[in-house]
């Protein structure tokens, strides 16, 4: 009987990783969130991480919320925005509950244009908002919001036009090449961003995008190293979602943080969140900031680690290792560590610096708890107070408590299986 | 679940030990002094020593 | 405060690398703030926001590198910026392999592994052992507190797979001349040893070395292997391996007596043995007949070593060469110093098997001895901390090692016990063992000499002489310098013997009033 459950888990996990590996993410559209995201209602703010209420939100999350409210024009200044929230006029829901993800505070509201990625293998879609360095870190001044308007009015529509000209853009070839060019697709996606810009330039021209918009958009794309993070996040989400809900699977389907809590979801445990206090980040600070300024871990961007990119392939992106003064050997050992807690490795996403070994696929909560090896995530840092842009970047580990809680729930579930 | 036997008792005796050490570091060090190839594992109890979770783990993995 | 700027044209650096550069510069004494950024519009604005503004910065382009610092004074600024290149040189990568965390990682990095040495806490030992066996590797299991059910299951698994599980509670092994765990440096030779307890194997192999012979391998089986609950699985596999091993000419077995069913199985196998076998079953009643074919039965570890050596060299196994010179003389010289109220021997042991053997020696002299790990037929101590009559204490017992390292490493508890015994006016002889070899203390005698001398003083102040008799288990090749350990003991007036059995014999004679 005991062996039966182990076999059932192994079979379920094989199915889960087979689905993730089979994913074929294609960028099919860039569209306003109100169009693209089901269930996004008026006065609703979607956010990163597991559910959280205004009172519990971190400084950066609150600042980003205020920024989103001002962007939408639901209030005219900070005081009005806060009043709106405090009298309950704003609803908060996790991005993940709407097949979406967002970096840092991850705030998505109706007028924000989002990437729409379709997993052609299974037909499911996932959305992600664009990456920028100010509002999603908690800044809400007019200067901070300026780029949100440019994205909405100029850059996103231009990219949409080019995309429609192309008939959709396959992301797997870009991701595969970028990983081989030293990207890890989380904090170092510069190669992928360049490849994307390369692919989009001519289609945008062919689509007849007006010259000033074209120039502005190309300037934006070619100057924005982190651009592709929005796409890798959407691609990761679209890749892992078909692996949700496989009975007896212990594979992690989401890792996400809201600045207050870190949460995971597990394939065989449905939509339940298993949370723990969000950890502190160890890293490097931008000029003007120092130890003690940082808020806790925040963002849906850990979806990249969930499918084996980002921190899981640090060995292939040694420049990121500077975060903790590490050596190439340490980078390699991080990647080896991560293979101890995943079900298998990808046959497609290969890392030259790791001897062309594949990225680890399918974090198994049993292995995490057994080995005490926690998933490693490289991440940007937000300030602990609202009103600041990006302040630095570093490394963080997912908290053990999340995995223990999930394992205990899994144990309860197999003792009394649902009929 | 079982891997093929790398080296039975016979080969261990004829070829000498090539070791992995789980636990006390001193045991690895005394082997190293004798020129034995040894990999020391920084072992920690599963589930960070949480016995209840450890027992659950035994049933599942 | 002073500020300074350097702009390097057409130099591209990774933004993450530049963050590290800035960090290193800002760690310098006197530097308040440092920035290293490419000259993009955003970065120049960022610099301006934190007070770094200069025509050279304004003129910088996105492909230029800007380094800006604010420091306590102009001298510091100039010192930092005079050779900017050194900040931009890739720092010496610290070659450091991050630790291996799991057995699987270790096996992947060293696939030719043939032995997994396990000393994790007992609760976790069965799981790790099972994994090692399932990965097709032999196991040396030092951990104790493993249930007999687990031991049996694991040994069955090992046997099915042609692997050996040495343990649980196995402290010693010697494989191909390499000591594992607590082991002595012993010459290689034709004697294959199998031992059910650590110090028993250590004593046997050390004595073989002292007698001029050597050991092919010494396999530990753990203390319970020959009980009927386990059925001697490890011992039997080791025996058949030694039968087949060309470098082994003589086989020796040191253990407590086997359970009756296991003994029957042993009998069967040994009757077909092609090589001579010597067995020492400690604790056996002196009149028990365990004759099995050509098996040579030894009563002590000394005797086993002598017989094995003689068999290996082809000479007559009856003559003993380990005997101490002038034992009679030392016995009488010591006896006259003792008072009539002093009656009892108090043994404070590091080696469990040595304590056990000493009890047998005492029993055969007609003495009734108590212990916390009693010989069959001997009394158990009510309180292991409290000696009554003749008492031999095994300080390596779990009771004592729960709070402190093993007495072979840490002498604290033995030292305390010695002082306690010295305060008892009925204590006559202190019997001690000192174990050398790998993983033992680097100076076992030195660790205890202070306490021994203090113990003697306590007795002297009370008008008594406290006899101290000791044995050293080890060889001249051990890391601890056996000769100087012996000298240290002798110069403190301690009677030193090269074996535990001899030391126990003398101590027993001292208190029994018998002659040597």
């Amino acid at each position: 009987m005991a062996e039966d459950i182990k076999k059932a888990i192994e079979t379920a996990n094989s199915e889960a990783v087979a689905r993730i590996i089979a994913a074929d993410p294609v960028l099919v559209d860039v569209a306003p969130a109100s169009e693209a995201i089901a269930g996004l209602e008026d006065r609703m703010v979607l956010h990163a991480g597991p559910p959280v209420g205004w009172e519990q939100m971190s400084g950066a999350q609150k600042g980003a919320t205020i920024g989103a409210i001002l962007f939408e024009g639901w209030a005219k200044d900070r005081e009005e925005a806060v009043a709106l929230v405090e009298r309950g006029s704003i609803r908060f829901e996790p991005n993940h509950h709407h097949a979406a993800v967002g970096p840092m505070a991850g705030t998505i509201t109706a007028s924000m244009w989002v990437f729409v990625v379709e997993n052609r293998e299974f037909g499911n879609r996932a959305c992600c908002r664009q990456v920028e360095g100010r509002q999603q870190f908690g800044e809400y001044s007019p200067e901070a919001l300026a780029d949100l308007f440019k994205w909405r009015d100029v850059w996103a529509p231009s990219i949409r036009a080019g995309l429609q000209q192309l008939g959709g853009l396959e992301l797997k070839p870009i991701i595969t090449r970028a990983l081989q060019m030293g990207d890890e697709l989380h904090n170092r996606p510069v190669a992928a961003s360049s490849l994307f810009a390369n692919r989009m330039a001519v289609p945008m021209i062919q689509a007849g995008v007006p010259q000033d918009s074209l120039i502005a958009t190309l300037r934006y794309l070619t100057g924005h190293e982190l651009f592709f993070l929005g796409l890798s996040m959407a691609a990761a989400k679209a890749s892992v979602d078909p692996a949700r809900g496989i009975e007896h699977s212990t594979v992690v389907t989401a890792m996400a943080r809201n600045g207050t809590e870190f949460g995971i979801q597990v394939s065989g445990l449905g939509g339940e969140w298993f949370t723990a206090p969000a950890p502190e980040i160890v890293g490097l600070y931008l000029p003007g900031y120092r130890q003690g300024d940082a808020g806790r871990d925040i963002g849906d961007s850990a979806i990249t680690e969930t499918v084996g990119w980002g921190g899981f392939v640090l060995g292939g992106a040694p420049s990121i290792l500077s975060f903790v003064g590490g050596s190439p050997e340490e980078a390699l050992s991080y990647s080896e560590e991560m293979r101890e807690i995943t079900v298998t490795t990808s046959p497609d996403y290969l890392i030259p610096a790791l001897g062309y070994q594949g990225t680890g696929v399918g974090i198994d909560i049993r292995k995490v708890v057994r080995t005490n090896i926690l998933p490693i995530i490289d991440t940007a840092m937000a300030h602990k107070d609202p009103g600041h842009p990006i302040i630095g970047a570093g490394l963080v580990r997912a908290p053990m408590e999340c995995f223990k809680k999930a394992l205990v729930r899994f144990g309860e579930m197999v003792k009394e299986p649902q009929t | 679940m079982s891997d093929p036997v790398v080296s039975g008792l016979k080969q261990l005796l004829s070829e000498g030990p090539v070791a992995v050490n789980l636990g006390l570091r001193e045991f690895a060090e005394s082997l190293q002094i004798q020129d034995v190839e040894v990999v020391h594992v920084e072992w920690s109890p599963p589930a960070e020593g949480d016995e209840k979770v450890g027992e659950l783990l035994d049933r599942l993995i | 405060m002073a500020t300074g700027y350097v702009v390097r044209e057409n130099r591209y650096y990774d933004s993450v690398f530049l963050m590290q550069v800035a960090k290193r510069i800002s760690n310098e004494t006197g530097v308040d703030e440092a920035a290293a950024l490419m000259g993009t519009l955003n970065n120049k604005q960022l610099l301006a926001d934190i007070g770094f503004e200069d025509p050279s910065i304004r003129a910088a382009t996105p492909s230029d590198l800007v380094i800006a610092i604010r420091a306590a004074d102009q001298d510091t600024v100039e010192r930092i910026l005079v050779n900017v290149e050194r900040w931009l040189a890739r720092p010496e990568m610290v070659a450091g392999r991050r630790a291996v965390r799991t057995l699987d990682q270790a096996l992947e990095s060293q696939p030719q592994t043939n032995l997994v040495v396990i000393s994790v806490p007992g609760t976790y030992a069965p799981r790790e052992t099972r994994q090692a066996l399932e990965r097709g590797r032999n196991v040396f299991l030092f951990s104790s507190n493993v249930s007999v059910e687990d031991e049996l299951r694991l040994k069955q698994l090992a046997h099915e797979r042609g692997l050996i599980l040495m343990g649980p509670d196995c402290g010693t092994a010697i494989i191909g001349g390499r000591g594992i765990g607590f082991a002595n440096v012993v010459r290689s030779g034709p004697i294959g040893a199998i031992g059910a307890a650590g110090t028993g194997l250590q004593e046997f192999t050390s004595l073989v070395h002292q007698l001029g012979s050597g050991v092919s391998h010494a396999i530990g089986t753990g203390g319970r292997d020959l009980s009927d609950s386990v059925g001697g699985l490890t011992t039997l596999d080791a025996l058949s391996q030694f039968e087949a091993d060309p470098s082994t000419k003589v086989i020796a077995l040191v253990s407590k007596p086997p359970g009756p069913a296991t003994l029957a199985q042993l009998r069967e196998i040994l009757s077909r043995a092609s090589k001579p076998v010597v067995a020492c079953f400690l604790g056996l009643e002196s009149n028990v007949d365990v004759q099995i074919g050509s098996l040579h039965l030894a009563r002590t570890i000394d005797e086993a070593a002598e017989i094995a050596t003689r068999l290996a060299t082809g000479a007559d196994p009856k003559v003993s060469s380990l005997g101490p010179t002038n034992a009679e003389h030392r016995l009488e010289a010591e006896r006259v110093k003792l008072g009539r109220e002093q009656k009892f021997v108090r043994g404070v042991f590091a080696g469990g098997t040595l304590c056990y053997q000493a009890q047998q020696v005492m029993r055969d002299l007609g003495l009734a001895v108590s212990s916390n790990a009693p010989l069959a037929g001997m009394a158990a101590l009510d309180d292991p901390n409290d000696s009554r009559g003749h008492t031999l204490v095994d300080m390596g017992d779990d009771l004592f090692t729960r709070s402190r390292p093993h007495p072979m490493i840490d002498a604290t508890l033995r030292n305390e016990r010695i002082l306690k015994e010295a305060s008892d006016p009925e204590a006559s002889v202190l019997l001690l063992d000192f174990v050398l070899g790998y993983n033992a203390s680097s100076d076992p005698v030195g660790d205890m000499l202070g306490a021994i001398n203090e113990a003697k003083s306590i007795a002297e102040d009370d008008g008594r002489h406290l006899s101290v008799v000791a044995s050293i288990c080890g060889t001249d090749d051990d890391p601890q310098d056996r000769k100087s350990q012996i000298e240290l003991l002798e110069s403190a007036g301690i009677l030193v013997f090269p074996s535990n059995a001899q030391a126990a014999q003398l101590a027993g004679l001292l208190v029994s009033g018998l002659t040597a």
Side-chain angles (χ1 to χ4, degrees):
Chain A
M1 202 41 104
E3 285 309 309
D4 287 347
I5 187 62
K6 291 183 195 178
K7 272 203 192 70
I9 294 171
E10 298 287 324
T11 307
N13 287 350
S14 296
E15 175 63 26
V17 296
R19 293 187 193 179
I20 297 172
I21 286 170
D24 185 16
V26 179
L27 178 63
V28 294
D29 201 3
V30 186
S34 55
E35 267 180 50
I37 297 181
L40 178 56
E41 291 160 18
D42 185 35
R43 298 296 196 275
M44 185 182 276
V45 177
L46 300 183
H47 63 81
V52 65
W54 174 256
E55 292 307 314
Q56 291 76 39
M57 279 185 190
S58 66
Q61 190 73 271
K62 284 187 173 168
T65 300
I66 294 166
I69 291 171
L70 296 176
F71 168 73
E72 291 291 343
W74 298 332
K76 67 173 184 316
D77 58 30
R78 185 197 162 278
E79 285 66 36
E80 255 192 44
V82 172
L84 205 64
V85 175
E86 283 177 348
R87 66 167 179 271
S89 302
I90 302 290
R91 296 235 303 288
F92 295 104
E93 287 193 9
N95 286 317
H96 271 288
H97 292 191
H98 295 265
V101 281
M104 300 312 288
T107 49
I108 297 179
T109 49
S111 316
M112 289 187 188
W113 286 51
V114 294
F115 301 116
V116 182
V117 172
E118 182 175 292
N119 183 346
R120 286 261 160 93
E121 182 66 22
F122 297 95
N124 64 296
R125 290 183 171 196
C127 298
C128 182
R129 56 162 284 172
Q130 88 286 23
V131 174
E132 46 79 45
R134 303 186 74 166
Q135 180 266 336
Q136 68 186 11
F137 285 82
E139 246 197 309
Y140 51 85
S141 64
E143 297 75 33
L145 301 182
D147 277 5
L148 294 189
F149 289 105
K150 289 210 202 101
W151 170 256
R152 182 194 70 184
D153 299 334
V154 179
W155 303 328
S158 304
I159 294 170
R160 184 187 218 183
L163 201 57
Q164 280 163 356
Q165 178 71 27
L166 264 180
L169 176 66
E170 284 158 357
L171 296 179
K172 195 158 169 176
I174 295 181
I175 291 170
T176 310
R177 282 183 67 197
L179 286 170
Q180 298 196 9
M181 291 162 75
D183 272 3
E184 37 76 279
L185 302 175
H186 187 157
N187 280 292
R188 205 278 199 180
V190 60
S193 301
S194 311
L195 292 172
F196 179 85
N198 288 356
R199 290 299 310 275
M200 294 306 298
V202 168
M204 283 198 291
I205 296 169
Q206 287 173 327
V209 172
Q211 202 194 33
D212 48 356
S213 297
L214 188 66
I215 292 173
T217 306
L218 282 172
R219 259 212 186 104
Y220 165 71
L221 283 178
T222 55
H224 189 7
E225 291 190 0
L226 284 164
F227 174 83
F228 198 86
L229 175 59
L231 289 172
S232 58
M233 284 175 63
K237 175 75 178 152
S239 298
V240 76
D241 272 356
R244 287 175 168 267
I246 299 174
E247 198 189 1
H248 294 134
S249 172
T250 52
V251 168
V252 174
T253 49
M255 288 196 293
R257 320 86 101 205
N258 56 31
T260 309
E261 285 194 306
F262 191 114
I264 70 169
Q265 291 179 316
V266 178
S267 174
L269 297 174
E272 189 171 347
W273 285 101
F274 301 95
T275 62
E280 287 177 17
I281 303 158
V282 174
L284 296 172
Y285 292 84
L286 285 169
Y289 297 101
R290 58 196 68 226
Q291 185 92 24
D293 289 342
R296 289 174 171 261
D297 198 25
I298 187 171
D300 285 328
S301 56
I303 193 69
T304 56
E305 277 81 11
T306 306
V307 297
W309 307 332
F312 279 51
V313 293
L314 278 177
S319 64
I320 296 291
L321 238 296
S322 314
F323 284 155
V324 284
S327 64
E329 279 102 357
E330 282 186 7
L332 288 176
S333 66
Y334 278 131
S335 305
E336 278 164 19
E337 264 196 354
M338 293 305 106
R339 281 192 293 119
E340 292 290 310
I341 57 173
T342 48
V343 175
T344 186
T345 56
S346 170
D348 303 314
Y349 297 134
L350 309 175
I351 311 291
L354 300 175
Y356 284 93
Q357 275 167 1
T359 57
V361 180
I363 300 168
D364 185 341
I365 61 172
R366 301 173 305 161
K367 292 186 179 183
V368 171
V369 176
R370 192 200 185 293
T371 63
N372 294 321
I373 293 173
L374 294 167
I376 187 154
I377 299 161
D378 66 272
T379 183
M381 283 197 272
H383 201 281
K384 63 181 190 283
D385 299 325
H388 295 266
I390 181 174
I391 72 165
L395 292 175
V396 72
R397 296 258 188 184
M400 177 56 87
E401 202 186 327
C402 297
F403 299 90
K404 278 197 197 172
K405 278 183 178 174
L407 197 73
V408 168
R409 168 72 78 245
F410 193 90
E412 288 165 9
M413 190 197 71
V414 299
K415 259 206 298 219
E416 280 143 275
Q418 258 86 28
T419 41
Chain B
M1 265 274 214
S2 281
D3 298 351
V5 168
V6 168
S7 164
L9 174 58
K10 179 174 174 159
Q11 277 114 316
L12 174 64
L13 297 188
S14 62
E15 280 155 28
V18 177
V20 166
N21 185 54
L22 259 68
L24 301 171
R25 180 173 273 285
E26 289 75 12
F27 282 4
E29 285 165 2
S30 63
L31 285 169
Q32 270 166 345
I33 293 172
Q34 300 175 80
D35 284 327
V36 173
E37 285 169 57
V38 52
V39 174
H40 176 70
V41 174
E42 293 287 352
W43 182 90
S44 55
E48 294 174 334
D50 184 332
E51 286 208 27
K52 209 188 76 179
V53 176
E55 281 166 38
L56 176 57
L57 202 55
D58 277 340
R59 293 199 288 124
L60 300 177
I61 190 171
Chain C
M1 278 289 157
T3 53
Y5 312 99
V6 165
V7 177
R8 283 278 180 274
E9 287 177 23
N10 257 321
R11 300 281 289 273
Y12 174 76
Y13 292 94
D14 199 287
S15 56
V16 172
F17 175 71
L18 290 180
M19 282 165 77
Q20 215 207 5
V21 170
K23 185 179 183 183
R24 274 186 283 124
I25 297 176
S26 60
N27 283 342
E28 290 286 303
T29 330
V31 175
D32 181 55
E33 180 106 51
L37 299 166
M38 297 308 294
T40 64
L41 227 59
N42 277 346
N43 285 344
K44 292 197 280 191
Q45 185 57 53
L46 200 153
L47 288 170
D49 287 345
I50 55 175
F52 289 124
E53 280 221 80
D54 188 78
S56 63
I57 297 180
R58 276 197 291 279
T61 72
S63 49
D64 299 335
L65 170 64
V66 176
I67 296 185
I69 72 164
R70 181 162 30 241
D73 50 53
Q74 196 57 36
D75 281 342
T76 310
V77 169
E78 267 154 42
R79 180 171 54 83
I80 300 285
L81 296 180
V82 71
N83 181 11
V84 150
E85 295 308 318
R86 70 200 141 108
W87 302 112
L88 300 172
R90 296 274 158 184
E92 261 316 305
M93 288 302 194
V94 174
R97 239 201 162 271
R98 190 161 278 267
V100 169
R101 304 265 290 272
T102 67
L103 175 61
D104 279 337
Q105 265 183 301
L107 294 177
E108 205 183 315
S109 72
Q110 186 179 264
Q112 69 277 33
T113 298
N114 58 19
L115 180 68
V116 180
V117 177
I118 300 177
S119 56
V120 304
T123 336
Y124 307 103
R127 193 190 288 121
E128 302 295 338
T129 304
R130 172 169 300 275
Q131 220 207 348
L133 294 171
E134 279 171 358
R135 295 281 179 274
R137 268 80 177 193
N138 301 289
V139 174
F140 174 95
L141 180 55
F142 177 78
S143 313
S144 53
N145 293 312
V146 173
S147 76
V148 65
E149 293 80 21
D150 277 332
E151 179 172 352
L152 178 61
R153 268 196 292 264
L154 291 166
K155 285 185 172 174
Q156 281 166 340
L157 176 60
H159 178 75
E160 277 159 34
R161 315 209 71 216
L163 299 164
I164 197 89
L165 167 52
M166 294 184 268
D169 233 328
C170 173
T172 304
I174 302 176
I175 309 286
R178 304 296 197 270
I180 300 160
F182 294 91
N184 300 90
V185 181
V186 168
R187 191 180 298 113
S188 287
I191 299 171
I194 304 170
T199 41
L201 211 48
Q202 285 191 264
E203 177 90 334
F204 176 79
T205 54
S206 296
L207 293 177
V208 159
H209 178 101
Q210 282 178 39
L211 285 168
S213 186
V215 156
S216 56
H217 310 283
I219 294 178
T221 65
R224 266 186 321 225
D225 191 62
L226 285 172
S227 67
D228 279 345
S229 335
V230 180
L233 286 172
T234 300
T235 305
L236 295 174
D237 278 346
L239 271 171
S240 50
Q241 196 53 52
F242 278 154
E243 266 282 289
D245 175 36
S247 62
T248 301
K249 305 272 187 290
V250 177
I251 301 171
L253 178 54
V254 176
S255 147
K256 289 187 196 178
T262 313
L263 183 57
Q265 251 199 309
L266 257 181
R267 207 188 279 267
E268 161 68 30
I269 288 169
L270 292 177
S271 66
R272 291 183 271 123
S274 65
K275 301 177 184 177
V277 181
V278 187
C280 173
F281 295 134
L282 288 171
L284 220 48
E285 288 297 335
S286 39
N287 57 355
V288 168
D289 171 34
V290 198
Q291 199 55 36
I292 310 166
S294 63
L295 172 71
H296 301 259
L297 209 62
R299 293 215 43 77
T300 61
I301 299 173
D302 299 38
E303 210 184 317
E306 287 164 22
I307 295 174
T309 304
R310 296 298 162 177
L311 286 169
T313 59
D316 176 9
K318 299 246 175 34
V319 178
S320 161
S321 69
L322 269 176
T325 48
N326 63 349
E328 183 77 47
H329 169 73
R330 291 156 104 188
L331 175 63
E332 287 315 313
E334 200 64 21
R335 186 176 275 150
V336 299
K337 300 181 196 164
L338 296 166
R340 271 188 307 136
E341 329 68 49
Q342 289 177 277
K343 304 180 228 169
F344 299 125
V345 58
R346 298 286 159 82
V348 183
F349 282 86
T353 315
L354 303 180
C355 179
Y356 203 78
Q357 180 176 243
Q359 288 180 63
Q360 178 191 280
V361 169
M362 304 272 166
R363 180 198 65 194
D364 291 350
L365 287 172
L367 298 167
V369 178
S370 305
S371 175
N372 61 325
L375 203 68
M378 293 296 204
L381 283 171
D382 291 327
D383 177 2
N385 289 299
D386 222 2
S387 300
R388 288 288 153 83
H390 301 298
T391 300
L392 303 184
V393 189
D394 172 11
M395 300 293 293
D397 187 73
D398 280 347
L399 176 75
F400 299 108
T401 58
R402 226 161 276 167
S403 52
R404 294 212 76 97
H406 196 279
M408 286 202 283
I409 304 168
D410 182 332
T412 309
L413 292 182
R414 283 219 289 167
N415 287 340
E416 283 169 18
R417 189 56 174 260
I418 286 171
L419 296 178
K420 189 170 179 188
E421 302 300 344
S423 318
D424 182 351
E426 291 190 308
S428 166
V429 185
L430 218 51
L431 179 57
L432 303 171
D433 60 343
F434 293 93
V435 184
L436 313 183
Y438 291 114
N439 290 301
S441 158
S442 57
D443 185 7
V445 172
D447 290 345
M448 294 183 66
L449 213 48
I452 294 171
N453 286 331
E454 202 187 324
K456 282 168 154 250
S457 299
I458 290 173
E460 262 163 47
D461 290 346
D462 208 34
R464 294 179 272 122
H465 169 78
L466 184 65
S467 284
V468 184
V469 179
S471 64
I472 293 201
C473 171
T475 73
D476 290 331
D477 290 347
D478 277 332
Q480 286 90 347
D481 192 352
R482 180 169 169 261
K483 288 212 166 63
S484 55
Q485 293 279 292
I486 293 174
E487 272 162 26
L488 260 180
L489 287 169
E490 284 176 340
S491 54
I494 297 165
L495 300 175
V496 193
F497 291 87
S499 84
N500 161 259
Q502 290 170 57
Q505 179 80 358
L506 191 94
L509 287 174
L510 266 177
V511 294
S512 71
L514 299 168
T515 52

